[in-house]
Amino acid sequence: MTDVRDTQLDALLDRAADSGVDFDGLHITADSAGYTLEIDESDVRRENLTEADVRATAHEDDVAPYITNWYYWEEVVGHSGRHRRAFLRHAEVAEEHSVPERYEALRSGLQTEWGDVLVTATLAADGHRRYEVRHADDDGVDTAELDVYEDPLAAREIATYDETGRYRPLKTAPSLVSGWVFPDLDGRDAVETLDVLYPASVANWNLEREGELDVTHWRETAERQTGIYDVVEDLPPAAVDWMAEACCVDSQCLKRREWEYDADHELDADGGDGAFPCREPCSLVVAAARKWTKLEEEETQTYEFELTPSEKEQIEAIIDAVADDRTDEIREADVYEGANRYRARYLRAKRFDDEGNLSGTATHPEDGEDGHTEHGDEH
């Protein structure tokens, strides 16, 4: 049962007398003969109603949901925050279902995934919506077992560190900690919470939805860099593709990459399947590009190593495990895994010389007897 409040009816009658109401299947107009009320997908059509008639009709079971729905969207949510309004409408699939269908679903809760976050919209007695925000991994977990928050700004602390306590420089990385919940938010605070967890994600999602997303491609981004980052302009196109493959995929970032090398040249790397778009290379990508630009300046050399076929495959397995962040999943007893710690230590003991050169092959033999350079040094 939906309760219609006097304040809602006062606002509805004012709007009907002013410009009329035409929203989500509810139509009310006023003229000299009185009010006309009509509801789509029903037999409700009343003409020549007095104000008292409208107030009485508004409490009928097949009319009340349309009244409270109108009030929530037009008076409570309003139109001043168009991106917020669009997301909240999206959260209850408002453009695809009638008011009664949505109200029925909202009573048990409508869920929307947003990156690693789950947003649940529910219905209050007066037609207002309430929103719960939690980590998707905590779906179904009792609220009493989670850390409860009320202030959207508390999400800053949640988003700052991963589960191991390491700082998260990329807020859209799939490393958001679980174990928390914002159980009872209004629409404004719900979207603000999402914007703290995933900055600008709601706005960019809606801009893309409306065909207004302004995409800045790699070439333009590189050309506007200054200072120590101006070198990224020299990164070869092929390396930009490798960079996108390394950084801009679902396993590393929850955004969906929409930028390319430039407007005329797409990258081969998959852009991902995230709910919200990435409109330009982020600062983390630009910082990494500086290092790769310097590395790409090096000339290739030919090295000769003595390895068994299994040792070659083991090196490949180690690179894959590190790149896919799977090293923590490989147990010490899993000696059949190439990236197993003991197997890696065995390979090092067998194939590294005293200076740390693989198979005793110097990296820069012209620099001295060992020719070994610390990994990560710039040349």
Side-chain angles (χ1 to χ4, degrees):
M1 181 66 181
T2 304
D3 297 330
V4 181
R5 308 295 167 84
D6 287 340
T7 54
Q8 296 171 330
L9 285 172
D10 292 341
L12 180 74
L13 289 165
D14 286 345
R15 183 73 65 86
D18 180 26
S19 58
V21 171
D22 181 6
F23 183 77
D24 272 2
L26 173 66
H27 311 279
I28 303 179
T29 57
D31 56 27
S32 58
Y35 294 91
T36 298
L37 184 152
E38 184 176 7
I39 294 177
D40 292 343
E41 300 179 357
S42 76
D43 296 329
V44 175
R45 178 177 173 82
R46 313 284 171 78
E47 298 178 341
N48 303 327
L49 300 176
T50 65
E51 179 178 321
D53 292 335
V54 174
R55 290 181 180 274
T57 303
H59 292 282
E60 295 178 5
D61 290 345
D62 51 358
V63 177
Y66 288 88
I67 305 296
T68 58
N69 178 74
W70 171 85
Y71 185 82
Y72 177 70
W73 288 112
E74 295 296 276
E75 298 295 318
V76 177
V77 175
H79 294 266
S80 59
R82 90 179 204 261
H83 303 315
R84 177 177 67 249
R85 179 187 174 91
F87 176 81
L88 296 177
R89 297 276 289 176
H90 168 73
E92 60 182 76
V93 204
E95 307 306 326
E96 299 179 23
H97 297 284
S98 68
V99 172
E101 290 172 339
R102 280 187 274 140
Y103 270 40
E104 182 65 27
L106 284 165
R107 288 188 176 93
S108 57
L110 278 170
Q111 293 185 327
T112 301
E113 290 189 7
W114 199 250
D116 280 339
V117 170
L118 192 65
V119 181
T120 303
T122 54
L123 186 70
D126 59 358
H128 284 39
R129 276 62 158 175
R130 305 302 295 178
Y131 302 90
E132 180 197 80
V133 180
R134 63 168 65 196
H135 197 288
D137 288 348
D138 294 323
D139 185 21
V141 177
D142 193 287
T143 299
E145 299 179 25
L146 304 173
D147 294 331
V148 177
Y149 298 92
E150 297 178 358
D151 185 353
L153 295 183
R156 290 177 179 173
E157 179 182 351
I158 295 171
T160 299
Y161 302 99
D162 66 16
E163 61 182 9
T164 66
R166 295 177 300 184
Y167 177 70
R168 298 175 67 241
L170 182 64
K171 294 299 179 282
T172 50
S175 57
L176 185 67
V177 295
S178 58
W180 50 268
V181 62
F182 294 79
D184 187 29
L185 300 174
D186 62 19
R188 181 183 297 274
D189 284 351
V191 173
E192 184 176 354
T193 301
L194 294 181
D195 275 338
V196 173
L197 294 173
Y198 300 127
S201 62
V202 172
N204 286 336
W205 164 82
N206 192 45
L207 287 169
E208 180 185 52
R209 176 176 165 272
E210 295 179 346
E212 298 179 13
L213 185 68
D214 180 20
V215 176
T216 302
H217 297 291
W218 167 257
R219 192 65 191 167
E220 182 181 348
T221 299
E223 288 174 349
R224 72 185 184 195
Q225 300 304 310
T226 59
I228 64 172
Y229 294 106
D230 64 357
V231 298
V232 302
E233 187 177 352
D234 299 327
L235 190 65
V240 176
D241 220 321
W242 300 330
M243 177 178 67
E245 182 177 343
C247 301
C248 308
V249 291
D250 290 341
S251 64
Q252 306 303 309
C253 181
L254 297 172
K255 287 183 180 180
R256 173 176 25 87
R257 179 182 57 77
E258 292 300 318
W259 55 267
E260 305 291 349
Y261 181 76
D262 59 32
D264 299 318
H265 300 87
E266 294 185 1
L267 298 172
D268 291 333
D270 186 9
D273 297 315
F276 36 92
C278 176
R279 55 172 294 271
E280 64 180 344
C282 67
S283 58
L284 192 63
V285 164
V286 173
R290 176 176 178 267
K291 178 63 176 179
W292 282 314
T293 301
K294 292 181 175 293
L295 293 177
E296 288 299 320
E297 292 173 353
E298 295 183 2
E299 295 291 334
T300 60
Q301 298 187 37
T302 300
Y303 297 96
E304 183 174 324
F305 301 112
E306 290 187 0
L307 298 171
T308 67
S310 293
E311 290 168 348
K312 172 184 174 293
E313 291 177 345
Q314 183 183 353
I315 291 174
E316 294 165 348
I318 291 171
I319 293 173
D320 274 342
V322 172
D324 294 339
D325 195 23
R326 291 186 292 103
T327 54
D328 290 343
E329 302 173 9
I330 301 173
R331 299 178 302 165
E332 293 182 354
D334 291 337
V335 293
Y336 291 99
E337 289 280 353
N340 170 267
R341 181 158 60 91
Y342 289 121
R343 281 201 54 186
R345 291 173 63 85
Y346 183 90
L347 182 64
R348 182 177 67 179
K350 177 181 179 181
R351 293 301 185 185
F352 280 25
D353 64 15
D354 292 340
E355 285 72 38
N357 293 307
L358 179 60
S359 292
T361 302
T363 303
H364 298 282
E366 69 278 5
D367 291 342
E369 184 176 345
D370 60 63
H372 184 72
T373 304
E374 289 290 337
H375 295 295
D377 281 0
E378 295 180 358
H379 311 302

